[in-house]
Amino acid sequence: MSFLGLWKACNGGKRVEFILELMLIILCTKLAGDLSVRLGQPAVLGKLLAGIALGPAVLGWVSQGGFIDQAAEIGVLLLMFIAGLETDLEQMRRNWQSAFAVAVAGIIVPFAGGYAAGIVFGLSTTASLFLGVVLSATSVSISVQVLKDMNRLNSREGTTILGAAVLDDVLVVVLLAVMMSAFGTGADISIGALIGKKALFFAVVIAVGWLVVPRVLKWLAPLKVTEAVVSAALVICFAFAYFAEELQMAGIIGAFAAGIAIAQTEFKKTVEEKIEPIAYSLFVPVFFVSIGLNVSFAGIGEQWLFLLVVSVVACITKLAGGWFGARVTGFDGRSSLLIGAGMVSRGEVALIIATMGLQGGLVLPNYYTPIIIAVIVTTLVTPPLLKQFAKDRPAKQFN
């Protein structure tokens, strides 16, 4: 019996297992992040690799489910909430055209690439189209952390990536709904109703963020309890995230919108200073590790070529689409590459879509694992790509 198994057996098994897993996650992500920085790479890369090492693919010390999944969900919500707090709303308004172009091109090119790859490997038209949808997704949470570490989150490039990611989420969900309606189990999906929900979401969060959020914070701030303002901010964050999920938006978009809303109030600095220690000491490390837990090498030997091709197509097409969208809206070549790199990570968004496709019969089980690993590959290559394209450029060039 391994040391880990013996420790669990002596201490109540499942009852305390999550305590040991949490200890390992915090320790290993911090050490791996530090090592990554010493090797000239973003800390996020080390944390993601720590997740793969701790998960079933290598050591098997941390498993999915229960507390880990729930803490990871809180982690990504807090990460995007902090990104919203730090976002320059005026900068985002100025770059909306670039964000739109990057989002659209960043969907069209990967969708075409994914469909072509599926056809080449003999997948059905339906499965090939679905592969295109998976590769069209973008999860900006990893890019947010890298940009934040490099002090680029409020740059023109950073706000363009954030805006494009929000639009990408809307467009990909609509595209997925069309697929599920036409070929999968979701034949009763109304595309008009889905688009209406998206419009309702943005209308409500804008109105609530402008009119309600400042009043709620001012009302709760004087409460004679500890950390009243921070507690109120978390209530708003999770309420926005829940509302987003109810309207078939990603919860991270709701959390991001909540952060932007609070950033327009006098409580921004207080909330930011109090939330960051909570997020980065506990929940965000669990989120990074949770991505690596999806990696499994079982059965990959038979699909190694498919995995290789899809991984390359996923990275190149998203980079090219983002580059094109940025280039045609006035960015120089290096900045366009930076924006394209920021869109490469598919992360948890694509993982969710792939799982939905498996459940809906849009992807064959033997192709599911290679697709999941390809998604993880895009997440792993994003930090070093961003680091490379931002290398040796003074900060003023990003403003």
Side-chain angles (χ1 to χ4, degrees):
M1 180 181 292
S2 68
F3 166 75
L4 193 69
L6 181 62
W7 195 94
K8 290 178 182 179
C10 294
N11 290 276
K14 288 291 183 181
R15 184 175 62 83
V16 295
E17 181 177 342
F18 84 92
I19 299 176
L20 177 60
E21 291 180 343
L22 192 57
M23 179 199 73
L24 289 170
I25 288 171
I26 295 172
L27 176 63
C28 292
T29 53
K30 298 306 179 183
L31 293 176
D34 178 75
L35 178 61
S36 184
V37 171
R38 291 176 185 273
L39 294 175
Q41 295 299 321
V44 177
L45 179 60
K47 296 172 183 178
L48 293 170
L49 292 174
I52 296 175
L54 290 172
V58 183
L59 297 174
W61 289 356
V62 178
S63 56
Q64 289 178 296
F67 171 80
I68 297 299
D69 287 350
Q70 294 161 5
E73 181 66 21
I74 295 173
V76 70
L77 291 179
L78 292 180
L79 185 62
M80 293 306 296
F81 178 60
I82 293 169
L85 285 170
E86 298 183 356
T87 295
D88 185 335
L89 194 57
E90 185 56 36
Q91 178 81 283
M92 185 170 282
R93 286 187 187 125
R94 289 198 299 267
N95 291 317
W96 73 268
Q97 290 178 317
S98 295
F100 182 81
V102 169
V104 172
I107 288 176
I108 293 175
V109 179
F111 181 81
Y115 173 76
I119 294 297
V120 167
F121 279 91
L123 273 65
S124 66
T125 299
T126 299
S128 298
L129 288 170
F130 178 74
L131 180 59
V133 174
V134 173
L135 299 193
S136 299
T138 291
S139 177
V140 77
S141 52
I142 300 299
S143 298
V144 161
Q145 185 58 58
V146 179
L147 291 168
K148 182 174 167 56
D149 289 344
M150 296 190 300
N151 198 28
R152 310 293 189 193
L153 192 58
N154 261 333
S155 66
R156 187 182 173 207
E157 288 80 358
T159 53
T160 298
I161 291 169
L162 286 168
V166 173
L167 293 170
D168 186 288
D169 178 73
V170 175
L171 297 174
V172 167
V173 170
V174 172
L175 187 59
L176 176 64
V178 172
M179 283 286 298
M180 297 292 286
S181 179
F183 304 111
T185 58
D188 59 341
I189 293 176
S190 169
I191 306 303
L194 186 64
I195 295 174
K197 287 181 178 180
K198 308 299 180 187
L200 176 63
F201 169 78
F202 286 107
V204 170
V205 296
I206 290 172
V208 171
W210 180 33
L211 299 173
V212 178
V213 168
R215 290 175 171 81
V216 169
L217 287 172
K218 288 182 179 179
W219 173 55
L220 293 177
L223 293 180
K224 303 301 181 181
V225 293
T226 56
E227 305 298 353
V229 171
V230 176
S231 299
L234 288 173
V235 168
I236 293 168
C237 170
F238 296 140
F240 273 47
Y242 177 79
F243 181 63
E245 292 285 354
E246 284 295 297
L247 293 184
Q248 295 178 284
M249 293 281 290
I252 57 176
I253 303 301
F256 179 64
I260 290 178
I262 292 175
Q264 311 313 307
T265 72
E266 63 188 278
F267 301 101
K268 171 187 175 180
K269 187 175 181 180
T270 299
V271 172
E272 189 175 345
E273 290 177 348
K274 297 287 187 177
I275 291 292
E276 285 196 354
I278 299 172
Y280 289 114
S281 62
L282 177 58
F283 293 105
V284 172
V286 177
F287 163 65
F288 288 137
V289 166
S290 72
I291 294 177
L293 298 182
N294 290 282
V295 175
S296 171
F297 299 123
I300 289 302
E302 301 174 1
Q303 301 287 353
W304 69 268
L305 185 59
F306 176 78
L307 168 61
L308 177 64
V309 171
V310 171
S311 297
V312 172
V313 168
C315 294
I316 291 178
T317 55
K318 202 66 165 180
L319 179 65
W323 172 86
F324 179 79
R327 201 76 176 92
V328 298
T329 52
F331 285 92
D332 63 32
R334 191 68 175 270
S335 292
S336 298
L337 286 172
L338 180 68
I339 291 170
M343 300 294 288
V344 166
S345 174
R346 305 319 199 273
E348 73 283 357
V349 175
L351 295 176
I352 293 170
I353 292 176
T355 302
M356 291 175 62
L358 180 66
Q359 295 170 348
L362 296 176
V363 60
L364 296 174
N366 57 318
Y367 287 104
Y368 175 74
T369 297
I371 290 173
I372 292 297
I373 294 181
V375 168
I376 302 297
V377 169
T378 66
T379 305
L380 291 173
V381 303
T382 296
L385 278 177
L386 284 169
K387 178 88 171 182
Q388 180 61 37
F389 293 135
K391 190 177 180 181
D392 300 327
R393 302 198 74 188
K396 66 180 181 180
Q397 290 187 306
F398 288 82
N399 294 321

